[in-house]
mmCIF file of all heavy atoms in Angstrom:
data_model
loop_
_atom_site.group_PDB
_atom_site.id
_atom_site.type_symbol
_atom_site.label_atom_id
_atom_site.label_comp_id
_atom_site.label_asym_id
_atom_site.label_seq_id
_atom_site.Cartn_x
_atom_site.Cartn_y
_atom_site.Cartn_z
ATOM 1 N N ALA A 87 -15.758 32.786 54.255
ATOM 2 C CA ALA A 87 -16.377 33.453 53.124
ATOM 3 C C ALA A 87 -15.622 34.729 52.808
ATOM 4 O O ALA A 87 -15.075 35.387 53.694
ATOM 5 C CB ALA A 87 -17.841 33.782 53.454
ATOM 6 N N ARG A 101 -12.320 44.915 51.127
ATOM 7 C CA ARG A 101 -11.936 44.879 52.528
ATOM 8 C C ARG A 101 -11.406 43.490 52.846
ATOM 9 O O ARG A 101 -12.070 42.487 52.612
ATOM 10 C CB ARG A 101 -13.142 45.195 53.406
ATOM 11 C CG ARG A 101 -12.793 45.264 54.894
ATOM 12 C CD ARG A 101 -14.011 45.713 55.700
ATOM 13 N NE ARG A 101 -15.090 44.753 55.532
ATOM 14 C CZ ARG A 101 -16.377 45.080 55.669
ATOM 15 N NH1 ARG A 101 -16.725 46.318 55.907
ATOM 16 N NH2 ARG A 101 -17.320 44.161 55.534
ATOM 17 N N ALA A 107 -4.705 33.015 56.997
ATOM 18 C CA ALA A 107 -3.552 32.146 57.233
ATOM 19 C C ALA A 107 -2.535 32.258 56.106
ATOM 20 O O ALA A 107 -1.371 31.921 56.283
ATOM 21 C CB ALA A 107 -4.019 30.697 57.366
ATOM 22 N N PHE A 113 -3.071 35.676 38.963
ATOM 23 C CA PHE A 113 -2.115 36.046 37.922
ATOM 24 C C PHE A 113 -2.763 35.793 36.569
ATOM 25 O O PHE A 113 -2.952 34.643 36.161
ATOM 26 C CB PHE A 113 -0.836 35.220 38.079
ATOM 27 C CG PHE A 113 0.319 35.682 37.243
ATOM 28 C CD1 PHE A 113 1.079 36.783 37.621
ATOM 29 C CD2 PHE A 113 0.666 35.016 36.082
ATOM 30 C CE1 PHE A 113 2.158 37.208 36.859
ATOM 31 C CE2 PHE A 113 1.744 35.424 35.311
ATOM 32 C CZ PHE A 113 2.495 36.529 35.700
ATOM 33 N N GLY A 158 2.983 26.556 45.142
ATOM 34 C CA GLY A 158 1.810 27.146 45.765
ATOM 35 C C GLY A 158 0.592 27.224 44.872
ATOM 36 O O GLY A 158 -0.379 27.914 45.210
ATOM 37 N N ARG A 161 -4.955 26.601 41.543
ATOM 38 C CA ARG A 161 -5.682 26.179 40.359
ATOM 39 C C ARG A 161 -5.244 26.975 39.143
ATOM 40 O O ARG A 161 -4.677 28.062 39.254
ATOM 41 C CB ARG A 161 -7.196 26.331 40.545
ATOM 42 C CG ARG A 161 -7.651 27.746 40.848
ATOM 43 C CD ARG A 161 -9.163 27.831 40.947
ATOM 44 N NE ARG A 161 -9.584 29.155 41.393
ATOM 45 C CZ ARG A 161 -10.814 29.618 41.250
ATOM 46 N NH1 ARG A 161 -11.752 28.869 40.691
ATOM 47 N NH2 ARG A 161 -11.134 30.824 41.681
ATOM 48 N N LEU A 175 -16.336 37.318 31.212
ATOM 49 C CA LEU A 175 -17.443 37.116 32.150
ATOM 50 C C LEU A 175 -17.260 35.800 32.896
ATOM 51 O O LEU A 175 -17.480 35.720 34.116
ATOM 52 C CB LEU A 175 -18.778 37.135 31.409
ATOM 53 C CG LEU A 175 -20.032 36.870 32.254
ATOM 54 C CD1 LEU A 175 -20.166 37.917 33.349
ATOM 55 C CD2 LEU A 175 -21.281 36.842 31.365
ATOM 56 N N GLY A 194 -4.569 43.488 30.641
ATOM 57 C CA GLY A 194 -5.174 44.807 30.678
ATOM 58 C C GLY A 194 -6.687 44.790 30.624
ATOM 59 O O GLY A 194 -7.321 45.699 30.086
ATOM 60 N N SER A 195 -7.285 43.769 31.237
ATOM 61 C CA SER A 195 -8.740 43.611 31.193
ATOM 62 C C SER A 195 -9.390 44.377 32.345
ATOM 63 O O SER A 195 -8.730 44.879 33.246
ATOM 64 C CB SER A 195 -9.117 42.135 31.299
ATOM 65 O OG SER A 195 -8.852 41.654 32.605
ATOM 66 N N LEU A 225 6.443 47.215 36.118
ATOM 67 C CA LEU A 225 5.045 47.139 36.551
ATOM 68 C C LEU A 225 4.937 46.954 38.061
ATOM 69 O O LEU A 225 4.053 47.527 38.698
ATOM 70 C CB LEU A 225 4.338 45.987 35.822
ATOM 71 C CG LEU A 225 2.865 45.754 36.150
ATOM 72 C CD1 LEU A 225 2.022 46.946 35.707
ATOM 73 C CD2 LEU A 225 2.369 44.457 35.492
ATOM 74 N N ALA A 239 7.982 19.088 36.605
ATOM 75 C CA ALA A 239 7.876 17.937 37.490
ATOM 76 C C ALA A 239 8.999 16.946 37.167
ATOM 77 O O ALA A 239 9.511 16.898 36.047
ATOM 78 C CB ALA A 239 6.518 17.272 37.331
ATOM 79 N N PRO A 255 27.016 15.959 22.061
ATOM 80 C CA PRO A 255 26.279 17.188 22.352
ATOM 81 C C PRO A 255 25.010 17.291 21.509
ATOM 82 O O PRO A 255 24.873 16.631 20.471
ATOM 83 C CB PRO A 255 27.275 18.294 22.010
ATOM 84 C CG PRO A 255 28.252 17.658 21.065
ATOM 85 C CD PRO A 255 28.354 16.230 21.498
ATOM 86 N N TRP A 265 3.768 32.557 12.983
ATOM 87 C CA TRP A 265 3.395 33.253 11.753
ATOM 88 C C TRP A 265 4.434 32.925 10.697
ATOM 89 O O TRP A 265 5.632 32.999 10.937
ATOM 90 C CB TRP A 265 3.297 34.759 12.024
ATOM 91 C CG TRP A 265 3.169 35.604 10.802
ATOM 92 C CD1 TRP A 265 2.316 35.405 9.757
ATOM 93 C CD2 TRP A 265 3.940 36.770 10.474
ATOM 94 N NE1 TRP A 265 2.507 36.380 8.809
ATOM 95 C CE2 TRP A 265 3.473 37.236 9.224
ATOM 96 C CE3 TRP A 265 4.952 37.474 11.130
ATOM 97 C CZ2 TRP A 265 4.012 38.356 8.592
ATOM 98 C CZ3 TRP A 265 5.480 38.602 10.517
ATOM 99 C CH2 TRP A 265 5.012 39.034 9.267
ATOM 100 N N ILE A 266 3.981 32.556 9.516
ATOM 101 C CA ILE A 266 4.883 32.091 8.463
ATOM 102 C C ILE A 266 5.884 33.155 8.055
ATOM 103 O O ILE A 266 7.005 32.857 7.650
ATOM 104 C CB ILE A 266 4.066 31.596 7.239
ATOM 105 C CG1 ILE A 266 4.979 30.858 6.265
ATOM 106 C CG2 ILE A 266 3.320 32.744 6.578
ATOM 107 C CD1 ILE A 266 4.241 30.209 5.128
ATOM 108 N N LEU A 278 22.328 24.979 8.264
ATOM 109 C CA LEU A 278 22.984 25.541 9.447
ATOM 110 C C LEU A 278 23.248 24.450 10.481
ATOM 111 O O LEU A 278 24.330 24.399 11.084
ATOM 112 C CB LEU A 278 22.115 26.634 10.054
ATOM 113 C CG LEU A 278 22.639 27.268 11.354
ATOM 114 C CD1 LEU A 278 23.980 27.962 11.113
ATOM 115 C CD2 LEU A 278 21.626 28.248 11.929
ATOM 116 N N LEU A 289 29.645 22.170 17.685
ATOM 117 C CA LEU A 289 29.260 20.911 18.341
ATOM 118 C C LEU A 289 29.585 19.749 17.404
ATOM 119 O O LEU A 289 28.695 19.092 16.869
ATOM 120 C CB LEU A 289 27.757 20.916 18.683
ATOM 121 C CG LEU A 289 27.252 22.037 19.589
ATOM 122 C CD1 LEU A 289 25.720 21.974 19.699
ATOM 123 C CD2 LEU A 289 27.881 21.946 20.970
ATOM 124 N N PRO A 290 30.860 19.464 17.177
ATOM 125 C CA PRO A 290 31.222 18.419 16.215
ATOM 126 C C PRO A 290 30.624 17.059 16.574
ATOM 127 O O PRO A 290 30.706 16.623 17.717
ATOM 128 C CB PRO A 290 32.755 18.401 16.276
ATOM 129 C CG PRO A 290 33.108 19.091 17.549
ATOM 130 C CD PRO A 290 32.028 20.072 17.817
ATOM 131 N N ALA A 295 18.324 17.849 17.566
ATOM 132 C CA ALA A 295 16.969 17.650 18.086
ATOM 133 C C ALA A 295 16.052 18.716 17.494
ATOM 134 O O ALA A 295 16.310 19.916 17.648
ATOM 135 C CB ALA A 295 16.965 17.736 19.608
ATOM 136 N N ARG A 307 10.387 18.657 9.030
ATOM 137 C CA ARG A 307 10.814 17.495 8.248
ATOM 138 C C ARG A 307 12.130 17.688 7.513
ATOM 139 O O ARG A 307 13.010 16.797 7.566
ATOM 140 C CB ARG A 307 9.704 17.124 7.260
ATOM 141 C CG ARG A 307 9.948 15.804 6.536
ATOM 142 C CD ARG A 307 8.715 15.420 5.749
ATOM 143 N NE ARG A 307 7.595 15.129 6.638
ATOM 144 C CZ ARG A 307 6.310 15.199 6.261
ATOM 145 N NH1 ARG A 307 5.999 15.577 5.033
ATOM 146 N NH2 ARG A 307 5.355 14.896 7.109
ATOM 147 N N GLN A 333 16.367 22.078 28.239
ATOM 148 C CA GLN A 333 17.309 22.202 29.358
ATOM 149 C C GLN A 333 18.512 21.284 29.185
ATOM 150 O O GLN A 333 19.593 21.575 29.691
ATOM 151 C CB GLN A 333 16.611 21.897 30.676
ATOM 152 C CG GLN A 333 15.758 23.031 31.218
ATOM 153 C CD GLN A 333 15.266 22.761 32.624
ATOM 154 O OE1 GLN A 333 15.089 21.614 33.028
ATOM 155 N NE2 GLN A 333 15.025 23.823 33.383
ATOM 156 N N PRO A 364 10.314 43.051 16.313
ATOM 157 C CA PRO A 364 11.290 43.950 16.939
ATOM 158 C C PRO A 364 12.149 43.259 17.991
ATOM 159 O O PRO A 364 11.660 42.873 19.051
ATOM 160 C CB PRO A 364 10.406 45.032 17.567
ATOM 161 C CG PRO A 364 9.099 44.344 17.834
ATOM 162 C CD PRO A 364 8.933 43.298 16.784
ATOM 163 N N ARG A 367 12.346 44.478 21.742
ATOM 164 C CA ARG A 367 11.285 44.096 22.676
ATOM 165 C C ARG A 367 11.237 42.599 22.930
ATOM 166 O O ARG A 367 10.873 42.164 24.018
ATOM 167 C CB ARG A 367 9.938 44.575 22.147
ATOM 168 C CG ARG A 367 8.764 44.299 23.092
ATOM 169 C CD ARG A 367 7.501 44.996 22.613
ATOM 170 N NE ARG A 367 6.366 44.716 23.477
ATOM 171 C CZ ARG A 367 6.126 45.340 24.638
ATOM 172 N NH1 ARG A 367 6.965 46.267 25.060
ATOM 173 N NH2 ARG A 367 5.072 45.025 25.366
ATOM 174 N N TYR A 368 11.609 41.789 21.934
ATOM 175 C CA TYR A 368 11.366 40.353 22.039
ATOM 176 C C TYR A 368 12.602 39.479 21.842
ATOM 177 O O TYR A 368 12.464 38.270 21.643
ATOM 178 C CB TYR A 368 10.290 39.933 21.031
ATOM 179 C CG TYR A 368 8.918 40.435 21.392
ATOM 180 C CD1 TYR A 368 8.242 41.329 20.567
ATOM 181 C CD2 TYR A 368 8.302 40.029 22.573
ATOM 182 C CE1 TYR A 368 6.972 41.788 20.906
ATOM 183 C CE2 TYR A 368 7.039 40.489 22.913
ATOM 184 C CZ TYR A 368 6.385 41.367 22.075
ATOM 185 O OH TYR A 368 5.131 41.831 22.413
ATOM 186 N N TRP A 371 16.053 36.447 26.197
ATOM 187 C CA TRP A 371 16.556 37.133 27.384
ATOM 188 C C TRP A 371 17.576 36.284 28.126
ATOM 189 O O TRP A 371 17.376 35.091 28.322
ATOM 190 C CB TRP A 371 15.391 37.451 28.319
ATOM 191 C CG TRP A 371 15.785 38.264 29.522
ATOM 192 C CD1 TRP A 371 16.116 37.794 30.769
ATOM 193 C CD2 TRP A 371 15.909 39.680 29.585
ATOM 194 N NE1 TRP A 371 16.431 38.847 31.602
ATOM 195 C CE2 TRP A 371 16.311 40.018 30.906
ATOM 196 C CE3 TRP A 371 15.703 40.710 28.666
ATOM 197 C CZ2 TRP A 371 16.520 41.330 31.313
ATOM 198 C CZ3 TRP A 371 15.910 42.016 29.071
ATOM 199 C CH2 TRP A 371 16.313 42.316 30.379
ATOM 200 N N LEU A 405 18.340 36.848 5.281
ATOM 201 C CA LEU A 405 19.258 36.357 6.310
ATOM 202 C C LEU A 405 19.971 35.124 5.778
ATOM 203 O O LEU A 405 19.354 34.086 5.536
ATOM 204 C CB LEU A 405 18.502 36.020 7.597
ATOM 205 C CG LEU A 405 19.339 35.441 8.744
ATOM 206 C CD1 LEU A 405 20.440 36.409 9.177
ATOM 207 C CD2 LEU A 405 18.457 35.061 9.924
ATOM 208 N N ALA A 409 25.593 34.236 7.807
ATOM 209 C CA ALA A 409 25.390 35.216 8.884
ATOM 210 C C ALA A 409 24.896 34.536 10.152
ATOM 211 O O ALA A 409 25.338 34.866 11.263
ATOM 212 C CB ALA A 409 24.403 36.283 8.432
#
Side-chain angles (χ1 to χ4, degrees):
R101 184 175 61 206
F113 191 78
R161 59 177 173 162
L175 177 60
S195 70
L225 180 65
W265 169 48
I266 191 173
L278 177 62
L289 302 174
R307 189 171 294 157
Q333 282 189 332
R367 183 171 178 81
Y368 290 117
W371 185 266
L405 178 60

